[in-house]
Amino acid sequence: MEYTLLIVPGLGNSGVQHWQTYWLKLFSNAQKVIQENWNEPQLENWLEALNKKIATIDGPIVLVAHSLGSILVNQWTTTNFDKKVIAAMLVAPADVDSATHTPPETRNFAPIVQNILPFPTVVVTSEDDPYISFERAKFLAEKWGSTFVNVGLKGHLNTASDLKNWEEGQEILTALIAEIN
C-alpha cells in the first residue's frame, strides 16, 4: 500500500538532530505539518494547520506525531477526523493535563481526550520521560485503544535522546503498517 507519512512535531518543532527530521530525509513518502507558531501553540491554530496539510495529500496517511503533536492528533480525532488517516504513531505524548510535566503554554490543549481513536495507533514512551509519567502514558494508551511500546530509559525521545534515524522507531512503525495491511 502506498501512503504518506505525515510528521507532526510538538512544541518548538523538531530540530535538525531530531529523529522526525531524520525521517523526513529518510522516507521519500514523508511530509511535515508546519505550524505558524511553534513556541506559543494555540490548539485551534494547530488543528487548522493539520487539517490544511491533510487536505493537500492524496491517498492514505499515517501520522507520526511527537509530544504535543501526539496530543494534537488526539484532539483532532474528536472534531476534524478525515478518513484518509489510516493509522498514527504517537511518540512521547506530552501530559498537558499536568502542570508538573508540561509548560503552561501547552495547557490550552487540555484536557486530553480519553476516547478510543478511530484508527490503529501505537503509543511509544520511555520510562524516564520528563513530560509524562510512564504510568500515565500507559493509561492513555489503554484509553485510546493503542498498542503500548516501552522503549526503556531514553528520555523524551527527542533531540537530547540522540536517536538519529531511530531504527527501533522504524521497526515500531513497520509493525503498525503491517497491522493495517
Side-chain angles (χ1 to χ4, degrees):
M1 171 192 344
E2 291 191 27
Y3 57 88
T4 299
L5 280 182
L6 184 54
I7 304 294
V8 185
L11 182 67
N13 195 0
S14 297
V16 295
Q17 296 300 315
H18 194 287
W19 62 268
Q20 284 186 317
T21 303
Y22 278 82
W23 283 19
L24 277 168
K25 296 173 188 169
L26 183 66
F27 296 110
S28 62
N29 62 333
Q31 297 183 35
K32 178 179 173 181
V33 175
I34 304 297
Q35 298 295 347
E36 189 173 305
N37 189 334
W38 288 108
N39 297 317
E40 295 174 7
Q42 294 300 311
L43 177 59
E44 292 306 316
N45 297 343
W46 279 39
L47 286 169
E48 182 180 349
L50 179 57
N51 275 325
K52 284 181 178 178
K53 184 63 180 177
I54 287 171
T56 69
I57 297 171
D58 292 326
I61 300 168
V62 176
L63 302 173
V64 179
H66 179 259
S67 192
L68 190 61
S70 296
I71 303 306
L72 174 66
V73 168
N74 170 269
Q75 292 283 7
W76 175 81
T77 64
T78 64
T79 57
N80 302 281
F81 178 64
D82 185 311
K83 292 185 180 187
K84 288 192 287 188
V85 175
I86 57 172
M89 182 172 170
L90 307 171
V91 178
D95 189 356
V96 297
D97 292 341
S98 169
T100 304
H101 289 99
T102 53
E105 57 267 31
T106 66
R107 221 56 80 229
N108 71 92
F109 283 66
I112 298 173
V113 179
Q114 296 180 14
N115 299 338
I116 299 285
L117 298 177
F119 40 73
T121 56
V122 59
V123 170
V124 184
T125 195
S126 76
E127 295 173 23
D128 60 344
D129 188 332
Y131 296 102
I132 191 167
S133 72
F134 180 79
E135 295 76 19
R136 177 77 168 158
K138 189 172 185 179
F139 169 82
L140 290 175
E142 289 172 8
K143 290 293 185 181
W144 296 342
S146 303
T147 300
F148 181 73
V149 177
N150 171 8
V151 294
L153 301 171
K154 294 185 178 153
H156 190 49
L157 302 170
N158 59 2
T159 300
S161 301
D162 195 29
L163 300 171
K164 297 190 175 42
N165 282 331
W166 193 30
E167 288 79 6
E168 181 181 27
Q170 291 179 53
E171 291 172 12
I172 295 165
L173 177 63
T174 299
L176 176 63
I177 299 301
E179 186 179 328
I180 57 176
N181 280 336

